[in-house]
Amino acid sequence: MLPFISPRLSSLAFFLRLLFLATTGIITAVQAAPKRDITVRDLVEFRDVQTIRLSPNGQYVAFQTLQRHADSNDFTVAWYIVATQPGAAPHIVDTGTEPVRDDRIGQFFPSAIVWAPDNDWVYFTKKHQGTIQIWRSSLNAAKAEQISHQAGDVMSPRLSPDGAKLFYTMGRSHAELAALKKTLARDGYLQQNPALYYLEHGPMIPFCTDGRARISLGSDKLSCRLKNFVYDIASGTTRNATQDDLKLLGDQDDDFSTMMRQGPLKGADLKFRTKMSPDGSARAWAENVDPEIYKGLRPPVVLTVRHNGDTIRCAAPQCRGIQGTGFQDLWWSPNGKEIIFKVVDGPHHSLISFYGWTPETRKIRQIHSSNDIFSQCELTGLRLICGHQTWTSPTKIVALNSVTGGITPIASVNPEFDDIRFTKVEKILGKDAYGHEVYGHLIYPKGYQKGKKYPLVVTQYHSYGFLRGATGHEQPLHVYARDGVAVLSFDHRQNFDKEQQKAPFPDSNINHEKKIYIEQRPATAVENMIDDLVARGIADPDRIGVTGFSYGDVVLDTLLMRRNYAAASSTGLSSIPPYRKFPPGAGPGKRLDHAFGKPFTPEGHTKRLKYSLAAQADKIDTPILMQTADREFYFMSDTYYALLDAGKPVELYQYPDEYHVKWQPAHNERIYSRNLDWFKFWLRGAEDGDPAKAAQYERWRTLRERHKINMQTKK
């Protein structure tokens, strides 16, 4: 087998040398090099597997990766095909340089991939020269071929059962979208609810939808319907799809991109993972337990099957759950008698498990359960082909045996990670002050010695799969551990209360701020886990750093008002604005009013002052580094200037052309590195000897001296 070859090979000579070594067997005789430590560059530039699709005959997998390049601040998007037999080499069938970015938040949409029934051609969405179209390729094709040539971005490719027709959708054309934005900009944006324009996002023009009942994420006044097209593969012609054409397809489960663009399904339409048995005699799906009662964003769902005219709901607790916990996915076994399904369960909902349910006997059997993450699984024979992550490994392609639960590796596009040395990782369980269960991961520092106390960095707010950079990818977890710092990667499984199940959006999470700021549930959970690590003699109580991103920043607000820490890092502490009001519609504005009252009433203003970090700046004695997107600085400015005016050790960086999730690779690397420097400086007194950082450390030493004087004055 030839070694994996990167799409950015720098030298033909290097490739030929590798080929010679592999074909002569010399490469196997070379002694394995010793493992090395992980670096920030490893965390930025690994190949992130985003989409995985199994061929109809189960013999091949097509998948798409996204790789960031920090030095050039650009990307490689690659599409692969690999056989599903162990030891097969992934083949690159196309590459690009333009990932599809969600300009509302900054994250990337994965490519949609579909296989032709003949198991030869793969059709996929690709952004090229600023437009998203459908392309196709195969193992036998000399190069990829563009199929659609529409005037707007194309989405949701689907093939007819016979493979003769390719269906896809398109919203507004690029010209229509540009004209609409031009008109709105010229006339001005009427302030309304939901808002059409946000300072941090720009125009909030909603995506077109498919017409199914959904929770709207934007203004209905600018709503539109998707246009459906059909491409005849034999003739190469395209036309508008008719209703008779669309009947060939039926409804399809939302993928991540569809849900993010169009909004979550609601009510009676919340039936997902619908799959027919192999002989077509039965159908299984997950459905809302009772759409008349549960109308919220996170209704309870249950595994259901219809066979011989009877509808049977699985009564086992593993078959039920709400978003984030419980039932996740299902597949029919080849004999058509058993339904295999995946759930999140175990202690504090920290495990991924697979079970088999036989509707005829009502029996449940466990197939596999572990701390690992399995994603985008598809069944071929008795094997589930899945993406697989561990605490120390990015996504690989594996086969999970549905009978024995055994795992067989198939392909990895990050072979360099096999040469990286990681420290020990331990899962720890905890609770908040109200008994709500949480968990986290302790990443031990390199060279850990029992009985020795270590500096500790706490990251938030989800922790599962490859422990790369915490939520938002800004904290280099394993690199902290490499440098002698223990890491608590904290996961606060959202408390799915009754209002989130029953109340329609936007009231489905109305008590969110109350739980965080007033009851301070997440903060008490973090503190309890920190105190446990201190009691175990692992964490030094005088050298603890805390971090936050997005929801985690809100939790960080309360942490900093409850205790002082050695240092903190934030994507931007927005605090509760005592003098400013967020938009009153969906989102924090309505929740803040519900928790604290309106800011311009005496009662509401007084209550906000009590829980506002900006208003309590004189009491905060934790050195804080803020690294925020330019679009979000306005919301962080109250806190930053309040801390600055109070003489606190605070430093803030703005990153241009960024969103909530930082998307530029150069910024990703700089944020990782600066956070690493910050915590090494404040927790260990260590400085990087790089001359380019001399000015940084000069500022920080000044901050530290002033901080010492201020703390002595307080005493």
Side-chain angles (χ1 to χ4, degrees):
M1 181 186 74
L2 288 177
F4 169 79
I5 303 298
S6 165
R8 286 170 72 102
L9 269 176
S10 60
S11 167
L12 177 61
F14 175 73
F15 167 71
L16 292 174
R17 183 169 180 269
L18 266 182
L19 180 62
F20 171 77
L21 291 173
T23 54
T24 58
I26 297 175
I27 202 167
T28 61
V30 177
Q31 185 175 2
K35 295 202 173 209
R36 63 175 178 84
D37 289 329
I38 194 166
T39 67
V40 165
R41 184 62 62 95
D42 292 322
L43 297 178
V44 173
E45 296 196 344
F46 74 92
R47 299 164 194 88
D48 192 3
V49 178
Q50 296 196 307
T51 310
I52 303 170
R53 290 294 178 268
L54 183 68
S55 64
N57 64 8
Q59 295 182 14
Y60 295 96
V61 170
F63 60 96
Q64 175 248 323
T65 65
L66 174 65
Q67 184 178 19
R68 297 161 173 85
H69 305 290
D71 288 342
S72 52
N73 201 30
D74 60 9
F75 305 86
T76 295
V77 187
W79 288 263
Y80 299 77
I81 295 177
V82 63
T84 56
Q85 297 306 311
H91 294 270
I92 297 170
V93 296
D94 195 22
T95 61
T97 59
E98 302 176 52
V100 180
R101 187 183 67 212
D102 182 350
D103 286 345
R104 298 167 302 176
I105 192 169
Q107 62 189 5
F108 294 106
F109 288 127
S111 171
I113 299 177
V114 293
W115 278 91
D118 64 4
N119 304 286
D120 187 10
W121 289 102
V122 171
Y123 295 82
F124 52 90
T125 54
K126 174 183 177 180
K127 187 174 183 180
H128 178 64
Q129 296 181 346
T131 184
I132 305 169
Q133 300 296 328
I134 295 175
W135 294 61
R136 74 173 184 177
S137 190
S138 77
L139 286 175
N140 301 315
K143 64 178 182 178
E145 173 189 4
Q146 185 174 341
I147 296 299
S148 68
H149 297 82
Q150 294 292 344
D153 290 337
V154 166
M155 295 169 285
S156 306
R158 298 176 68 185
L159 281 162
S160 59
D162 61 3
K165 296 180 176 64
L166 175 71
F167 293 83
Y168 58 85
T169 63
M170 187 188 83
R172 295 181 175 93
S173 70
H174 296 303
E176 290 170 336
L177 190 59
L180 178 58
K181 289 182 178 179
K182 183 177 180 180
T183 298
L184 290 169
R186 182 187 61 222
D187 295 344
Y189 290 88
L190 175 66
Q191 185 60 38
Q192 59 184 41
N193 178 32
L196 291 176
Y197 190 92
Y198 283 102
L199 180 64
E200 72 271 34
H201 296 300
M204 295 295 289
I205 298 174
F207 290 101
C208 300
T209 68
D210 55 13
R212 299 170 71 184
R214 296 182 178 276
I215 297 170
S216 176
L217 300 180
S219 172
D220 292 335
K221 294 182 180 180
L222 294 178
S223 62
C224 57
R225 289 289 292 273
L226 289 165
K227 307 178 190 73
N228 291 280
F229 296 91
V230 58
Y231 171 81
D232 185 86
I233 292 175
S235 66
T237 58
T238 301
R239 59 177 172 82
N240 293 325
T242 66
Q243 289 302 312
D244 288 338
D245 290 326
L246 297 177
K247 288 178 182 178
L248 294 171
L249 302 177
D251 285 336
Q252 184 182 29
D253 286 339
D254 281 357
D255 57 19
F256 174 77
S257 298
T258 300
M259 187 273 290
M260 288 296 293
R261 285 185 171 101
Q262 301 186 39
L265 292 168
K266 66 178 181 180
D269 272 355
L270 188 55
K271 290 185 178 182
F272 61 99
R273 303 295 186 259
T274 300
K275 295 178 183 177
M276 299 297 297
S277 62
D279 63 1
S281 65
R283 182 165 54 100
W285 67 91
E287 67 180 8
N288 189 328
V289 170
D290 190 335
E292 293 302 314
I293 297 176
Y294 300 105
K295 299 179 180 181
L297 279 172
R298 293 165 175 161
V301 296
V302 59
L303 176 58
T304 308
V305 65
R306 185 165 181 81
H307 181 59
N308 293 332
D310 296 326
T311 299
I312 304 170
R313 284 185 167 183
C314 177
Q318 296 93 333
C319 300
R320 289 177 176 249
I322 53 181
Q323 181 182 329
T325 60
F327 176 84
Q328 297 286 295
D329 207 346
L330 69 90
W331 309 266
W332 283 94
S333 63
N335 63 18
K337 294 181 179 180
E338 184 179 56
I339 299 170
I340 300 162
F341 63 97
K342 185 182 81 167
V343 300
V344 178
D345 66 357
H348 299 209
H349 297 291
S350 62
L351 300 178
I352 293 288
S353 300
F354 292 82
Y355 295 90
W357 174 52
T358 304
E360 185 177 350
T361 63
R362 310 301 201 266
K363 289 185 178 179
I364 291 275
R365 69 180 180 94
Q366 187 179 71
I367 298 169
H368 179 91
S369 185
S370 74
N371 291 301
D372 301 346
I373 292 294
F374 295 84
S375 61
Q376 303 184 69
C377 300
E378 295 185 80
L379 187 70
T380 174
L382 298 176
R383 299 187 306 159
L384 280 163
I385 308 300
C386 306
H388 175 238
Q389 295 182 33
T390 70
W391 297 333
T392 58
S393 172
T395 301
K396 299 179 179 179
I397 311 297
V398 302
L400 173 68
N401 189 297
S402 64
V403 177
T404 67
I407 301 173
T408 303
I410 291 178
S412 170
V413 290
N414 294 289
E416 58 272 19
F417 268 71
D418 295 336
D419 300 326
I420 294 176
R421 174 174 50 243
F422 290 92
T423 63
K424 177 184 174 182
V425 180
E426 172 192 341
K427 183 173 70 178
I428 55 178
L429 306 178
K431 293 182 180 180
D432 66 18
Y434 292 78
H436 175 222
E437 295 178 339
V438 297
Y439 74 89
H441 296 103
L442 170 64
I443 306 177
Y444 282 80
K446 181 181 176 181
Y448 171 75
Q449 299 175 23
K450 188 174 182 180
K452 180 180 178 180
K453 296 180 180 180
Y454 291 86
L456 175 73
V457 169
V458 182
T459 65
Q460 305 183 65
Y461 51 96
H462 287 314
S463 184
Y464 49 79
F466 178 44
L467 301 178
R468 170 190 174 188
T471 305
H473 305 306
E474 299 198 353
Q475 305 296 333
L477 277 68
H478 287 292
V479 186
Y480 286 139
R482 177 203 71 184
D483 288 349
V485 176
V487 178
L488 169 59
S489 177
F490 172 73
D491 191 300
H492 180 78
R493 288 287 172 180
Q494 302 282 339
N495 196 357
F496 305 115
D497 288 340
K498 293 181 179 179
E499 68 266 15
Q500 292 179 289
Q501 300 178 37
K502 295 183 178 181
F505 184 81
D507 295 331
S508 55
N509 204 14
I510 195 67
N511 287 321
H512 185 67
E513 266 66 22
K514 177 183 177 183
K515 296 172 196 169
I516 297 173
Y517 285 108
I518 298 176
E519 297 174 353
Q520 301 187 349
R521 297 186 186 191
T524 64
V526 173
E527 289 175 352
N528 289 342
M529 297 184 92
I530 291 174
D531 292 345
D532 179 63
L533 294 178
V534 170
R536 290 172 59 183
I538 296 173
D540 183 342
D542 296 324
R543 294 188 293 164
I544 294 175
V546 287
T547 71
F549 172 86
S550 190
Y551 163 83
D553 270 328
V554 181
V555 177
L556 183 59
D557 269 11
T558 56
L559 285 170
L560 295 176
M561 287 189 284
R562 290 170 62 91
R563 294 181 181 180
N564 287 318
Y565 294 90
S569 165
S570 163
T571 191
L573 290 166
S574 58
S575 187
I576 297 172
Y579 306 101
R580 175 165 42 86
K581 185 175 177 67
F582 283 118
K590 191 168 187 175
R591 298 195 303 263
L592 284 168
D593 286 355
H594 177 78
F596 303 107
K598 293 180 169 49
F600 304 111
T601 63
E603 181 182 356
H605 181 65
T606 300
K607 198 169 186 180
R608 287 169 184 250
L609 287 175
K610 179 180 178 181
Y611 294 100
S612 169
L613 188 143
Q616 306 292 328
D618 62 319
K619 301 176 183 177
I620 306 301
D621 290 316
T622 300
I624 300 172
L625 173 66
M626 301 168 68
Q627 302 195 79
T628 186
D630 53 351
R631 290 177 173 87
E632 296 189 334
F633 172 71
Y634 172 74
F635 300 98
M636 322 302 166
S637 59
D638 286 357
T639 304
Y640 171 66
Y641 287 119
L643 291 167
L644 205 62
D645 288 347
K648 303 301 178 178
V650 59
E651 186 160 282
L652 183 146
Y653 283 84
Q654 289 189 60
Y655 291 89
D657 190 24
E658 283 293 2
Y659 296 84
H660 190 58
V661 178
K662 316 297 191 305
W663 67 274
Q664 297 184 56
H667 291 164
N668 298 148
E669 183 177 54
R670 196 55 55 89
I671 291 168
Y672 272 145
S673 298
R674 189 168 283 127
N675 280 330
L676 183 66
D677 290 345
W678 181 259
F679 283 116
K680 285 168 64 177
F681 179 82
W682 289 98
L683 302 187
R684 296 179 53 218
E687 297 184 13
D688 189 329
D690 184 355
K693 297 180 180 179
Q696 165 182 284
Y697 288 111
E698 184 177 351
R699 292 194 311 274
W700 292 359
R701 287 192 292 269
T702 300
L703 288 177
R704 184 170 58 192
E705 290 306 312
R706 291 176 181 171
H707 184 51
K708 286 181 180 178
I709 294 171
N710 289 339
M711 295 302 292
Q712 290 170 357
T713 302
K714 273 195 169 187
K715 291 180 181 179

